Amino acid sequence: MATAAADNGLTISSNKSGKPAAKTRRGLTSPIVSYLQAMPLVLILGLFLLLPILTIAMVSFWDYDSVRIYPDFVTFNYTETLGSWVTWKIYLNTFKFTVIVWLLTMFIGFWVAYFLAFHIRSTTMQIVLFLVCTVPFLTSNIIRMISWVPFLGRNGLINSSLIQLGIVPKPLEFLLFSEFAVVLAMVHLYTLFMVTPIFNTLMRIDRSLVEAARDAGASGFQILTNVIIPLAKPGIAIGSIFVVTLVMGDFITVRFMSGGQSASVGLMMSNQISLLQYPAAAANAVILLIVVLLIVAAILRVVDIRKEL
C-alpha cells in the first residue's frame, strides 16, 4: 500500500519496499522555466544572426551571370576569390589598415582612458569628459568623414597654414584622397570603441594596489607596466575586438577618403553587389567572417576577458 502527503510542494510516497521517494514541484518545473526564459534570446539570435549567416553561406555556392543568380552548388566563387592575386592584395591592404588603426587607437585610447581614470579625481568631471568624447557620435560617420575635407584638402586649412608659415612651398597632396586620409578618418571614427572598455577596466582597478606599489618603491613607469597595463588587458582586448571587426568590414571610409585610390575587402564586396554578383560577394563575406573570427579567437586566446563581461 502506498501513501502520499504534500507539504509546501513536497510529495513523499512509499512503495511496498518501504523506500520513500521525494520530488519537488520546483525541481520538475525548473528546466521548463529555464528553457522558456532563454527562448526569446534564442529566437532573436536565430532570426537576426544565425539565419542571415546561413543564407549568405548558401548563396555563396550559387551560380550567377550578368542578369540573375541560379540556385546551384558550385565552388568556383571560392576558387576564383582565393586564386586571384588581386583578392590577396586587397586582403593584405585591409590587414594593413587594420593593424595601423588598431595600434593608433590602442595608444590613443589607453592614454585617454588612463587620464580620465587616474588624473581626474571627481566622478562628475570624469562623466562630463567621457561624454565630451562621445559628442562626435551624435552625427553620422559620413558627416564626420566629410568634415575632414576642409582641413585636408589642397586648399584646406592645414595646407594654407603650412604655406603661410613657410614650412612647405606647395600644398601637400597626400593629406586628402590617400591612405593617410583613410587611416586618419578610421582613427577618428573608432577610437572611442577603444576608450570605453579600457576606461571601464581601469576604473575597476583597486587603487590600493597602486599605493602599495608606490610604497614599495616602484617608479611611475614600473607601476604602469607591472600593475596597470596587466590589469587593463581585458579592456584592451575588448576594444581590440571592436576596432578590428569594424575596420575589417569598413568600406564607406575607404571609398570616400581614398578617392578610389585604395581598396578593402568591404569595398570589394560593395562593388560586387552593385554589379549583381551576389554569390561572389557572399563568398567574400564568408571568407572575411572566418578571418575575423580567427583574429578574435587569437585575441581571446591571449587575454581572458571573462572577468570583464
Side-chain angles (χ1 to χ4, degrees), residues 28 46 65 67 119 136 178 212 229 231 240 243 254 268 270 289 307:
L28 290 173
D65 56 23
V67 179
H119 290 276
S178 62
I229 292 180
L231 294 176
S240 300
V243 172
V254 179
M268 178 175 61
S270 176
L289 176 62
K307 296 179 181 179

Side-chain angles (χ1 to χ4, degrees), residues 232-253:
K233 284 182 179 179
I236 296 174
I238 295 175
S240 300
I241 293 173
F242 287 154
V243 172
V244 167
T245 53
L246 290 170
V247 174
M248 289 290 290
D250 192 313
F251 70 95
I252 293 294
T253 308

Side-chain angles (χ1 to χ4, degrees), residues 157-168:
L157 180 62
I158 296 178
N159 274 323
S160 300
S161 300
L162 293 176
I163 293 175
Q164 291 177 1
L165 294 174
I167 298 177
V168 295

Side-chain angles (χ1 to χ4, degrees), residues 84-191:
S84 173
W85 67 270
V86 176
T87 303
W88 286 101
K89 187 177 180 180
I90 292 175
Y91 269 89
L92 290 176
N93 198 53
T94 305
F95 284 134
K96 178 180 68 176
F97 284 142
T98 302
V99 172
I100 295 174
V101 174
W102 170 65
L103 290 174
L104 291 175
T105 54
M106 182 173 58
F107 179 81
I108 298 172
F110 177 81
W111 287 112
V112 171
Y114 179 83
F115 175 78
L116 293 176
F118 288 95
H119 290 276
I120 305 300
R121 302 298 181 182
S122 173
T123 304
T124 303
M125 186 57 63
Q126 286 178 340
I127 296 174
V128 170
L129 292 177
F130 183 79
L131 292 176
V132 170
C133 295
T134 64
V135 168
F137 280 78
L138 299 178
T139 59
S140 67
N141 289 0
I142 297 177
I143 294 177
R144 279 181 282 165
M145 284 185 290
I146 294 176
S147 64
W148 282 106
V149 175
F151 290 92
L152 303 177
R154 180 179 178 84
N155 298 319
L157 180 62
I158 296 178
N159 274 323
S160 300
S161 300
L162 293 176
I163 293 175
Q164 291 177 1
L165 294 174
I167 298 177
V168 295
K170 60 180 181 178
L172 300 175
E173 301 291 343
F174 72 89
L175 292 181
L176 187 61
F177 301 139
S178 62
E179 293 186 351
F180 170 81
V182 174
V183 172
L184 179 63
M186 286 184 175
V187 171
H188 176 211
L189 294 175
Y190 303 136
T191 298

